[in-house]
Structures are given as structure tokens and as C-alpha cells.
Amino acid sequence: MTYDTVQIVQRLAPGGIEVLALQLSRALPGRNAIVSLEGDPEALRRAWPHLSTSGVDVFAMGKADGVDLGMLWRLRAFLRVHRPRTVFTHHIGPLLYGGLAARLANTRNIVHVEHDIWHHTAPRRAQQLKLAAAIVRPTFAAISPAAAAALRRTTGVRTVVLLPNGVDLAAYAGGTRQEARAALGLPPQARVIGTVGRLEPVKGHDVLIRALARLPVDVCLAMIGDGSRREELTYLVQQLGLSDRVRFAGHRDDVTRLYPAFDVFCLPSRREGVPLAVIEAQASGIPVVATDVGSVRDALCPETARLVPSEDPAALAQALDAAFAGGAAVSPRAFVERSFDWDATVRRYTILAKG
């Protein structure tokens, strides 16, 4: 079986890049597939059941820890068999392995999409990116102006295609606050902070929990997502006496209908690219409070969003309190419609896929 496009990600687990890859595989013309460098297909589906019903062909290369040259040859063989017209790589690992394998397999068109900028400041990662640019020679695209500028500085390439993420606004037009809060087990009258993301150190949930401790007792926190820090974060909530104010909702595939439960969406990350969750929240009309890291500010409605430094619970609490008090005179949904239209995103990827 041949594919029109193959997208390569590090590990196909719930996250912004991975959700985008699934959506694109369904939206792009032709027959498309996703390759995960890590894991095996069955393990990935057990960890993310949505993969079994997504309608997307998923493959995994079972990458070992550290440098895995065997996986490079397995990936080259896969690409030779399936002969995609275009390979998209997302992030540095997929560029190093997937880009090189695609070049060795004589893939006609290779596109690397840059989602983050933090690794450009790490000398070793920057060197890897520069080397990959020289060997693979992909078309470079970036999801934000900051990411595009970082690519140009690090690699020396002159042309970087701007490729903003998009969301389907129609998916964020339904549902009521009452229904969403009932689905999450939240009090109907509480003031609710919501956050969506993997429970990992980079996401800064510990800072948000400490900020919550500074807010009035009628403020609750709903955390959608799962990860390696869940037990540690649960312990922190207990230590701060916040157990009755924090809801760990776990991973949810129905997140589109849950955003209306929130009065404010918070992104307390330590590092980020352009997070899809803040775009989704704003598409639901929810104002955002976020840390000023990576390219986050590029994704925020200037009329409704608030930015704070990372690692500062006091500043985060103050901004959240101000967001509650600010009311809803303006909805950020119109900003998303102007800046992050899903159809425009698909058109841009389609043009790149044609080479």
C-alpha cells in the first residue's frame, strides 16, 4: 500500500502535536499515515484508545533508548515499501531519524515542521538541528514567527514557511456550562480554572496548584490530562489542603465539549511552542492566563489574555484573580477565527504536500 503523506512523530501519545497529526491525516487529500518512532502499535492504542477509532493508519518503529541506528534502517525500509510522496517530520527527533530515512529512501518531498523554540538554546540540540538541515535539506516550516526566526538563526536557511496551527471552530460551538461541569463533577456555582495538558514537569502544574492556594475558597481547578507526575501532584494538593478544590479528570477524548466548564483557562508551562489547548479554549470563548514562554504570546487574544512569568505562583494567582474579575465583555473566539482557521491550515499543508 502506498501513501500520499506520512507524518513522523516521536511518540504517538495524547498531546498537541499528536492531535494535530491525527486531524491532518484525516483532512489531507489521499491516503495518509502516521509513524511513531517510539512504542509499538498495540501499546500505543492501549495508552490512547482513540487511535483505534480514529480511522488513521498508525505504525511504530519501537525505537530503543539512546541512539538506535537499527530503527533508522527499519524506517527507511518502511518508506521504501509505502513510497509516500511527502514525509512531514514534527520536532527534532523525527527530523533526525525520519528526515534521514526519507532521504535514504529517495522520498521526493520532505517537510520539517518546527513547533518549539526552546531546544534552539541548547547547544547540542542546535548542532543536531544544523547538521540535519545540511544532510536532509527539507523544506522548513514553523508554526509561529518566533519559531521561524529561531530556525533561520540556528540553521542558516533563508526560507521558512509560516504554518500556524488551526482549529475547527464548529467543534467548539456546542455544549453548555451546566453539561460540561456535570461531566467533570464540578460544582455548578464555583469559579473554575481549567487546564488541559500532560501531567509532566514541563507543563508547570505544580505552580498552578500553588497559585490556587492563594485564591479564594470558591475557586476550583479542573486538570484534564494524565502523565508521570499525577501522584506527585496529588500529594501536593493534599499537602496544601486543596483536595476538595482540585479535580484530576485524567485523559479525555471529549475535551471539545468540556471547555465550557471553565471560567478561565490557565497554561502554567515552563516551556512551550504554540500550544493547541490555548487556541481551543479561546475558540470556546474562554479567556486565557498563561506563562510568557516560547511562542505562547503568538497564540493569545491581546484583548482577553493575560501573560505572567513562569515559576511565579503569586503572579499567576494575581492574573487569575484579575481574569475572574474582568468579566466577558469580549470573546476571544473572533481572534481564533481570524488567526487560526482550520481550513487555512489544511490548505497550507496541502500545498506543502504537493511539493
Side-chain angles (χ1 to χ4, degrees), residues 23-216:
Q23 293 171 339
L24 284 170
S25 284
R26 291 193 293 261
L28 290 173
R31 191 173 184 90
N32 310 298
I34 301 176
V35 170
S36 174
L37 297 185
E38 298 177 2
D40 67 79
E42 289 307 311
L44 294 176
R45 289 187 176 94
R46 283 195 302 271
W48 193 5
H50 176 62
L51 294 179
S52 298
T53 58
S54 67
V56 176
D57 291 344
V58 172
F59 302 87
M61 295 293 112
K63 181 184 178 300
D65 292 340
V67 177
D68 185 354
L69 294 180
M71 190 213 64
L72 175 65
W73 300 117
R74 294 193 300 276
L75 185 51
R76 182 190 69 160
F78 171 89
L79 294 173
R80 282 184 168 178
V81 168
H82 294 288
R83 303 193 305 278
R85 175 190 178 94
T86 300
V87 165
F88 287 98
T89 62
H90 299 277
H91 227 309
I92 181 67
L95 172 61
L96 290 168
Y97 284 99
L100 184 54
R103 186 58 67 198
L104 292 171
N106 296 316
T107 301
R108 175 180 174 182
N109 187 31
I110 305 170
V111 180
H112 175 64
V113 184
E114 187 64 271
H115 295 263
D116 296 321
I117 64 174
W118 60 265
H119 58 267
H120 290 264
T121 61
R124 182 168 173 269
R125 288 295 185 95
Q127 281 297 111
Q128 290 173 338
L129 184 59
K130 189 172 183 179
L131 180 63
I135 296 174
V136 178
R137 304 184 307 282
T139 297
F140 278 106
I143 66 170
S144 71
L151 268 177
R152 286 191 287 267
R153 286 195 305 269
T154 301
T155 66
V157 298
R158 293 183 179 180
T159 302
V160 178
V161 178
L162 195 59
L163 195 61
N165 288 339
V167 299
D168 181 2
L169 280 169
Y172 301 90
T176 66
R177 171 181 291 194
Q178 182 179 1
E179 293 169 339
R181 290 195 173 185
L184 289 169
L186 294 170
Q189 303 305 319
R191 293 188 292 170
V192 177
I193 302 165
T195 190
V196 177
R198 295 172 292 112
L199 302 185
E200 302 295 343
V202 69
K203 295 298 184 179
H205 293 102
D206 55 313
V207 181
L208 176 54
I209 291 168
R210 295 185 186 281
L212 178 67
R214 296 169 176 264
L215 293 169

Side-chain angles (χ1 to χ4, degrees), residues 233-261:
L233 292 171
T234 301
Y235 180 74
L236 177 61
V237 167
Q238 293 170 347
Q239 289 294 103
L240 295 175
L242 300 172
S243 296
D244 61 340
R245 297 173 58 192
V246 177
R247 171 80 166 94
F248 286 93
H251 171 71
R252 300 286 296 251
D253 286 321
D254 60 345
V255 68
T256 57
R257 74 183 186 96
L258 300 178
Y259 283 108

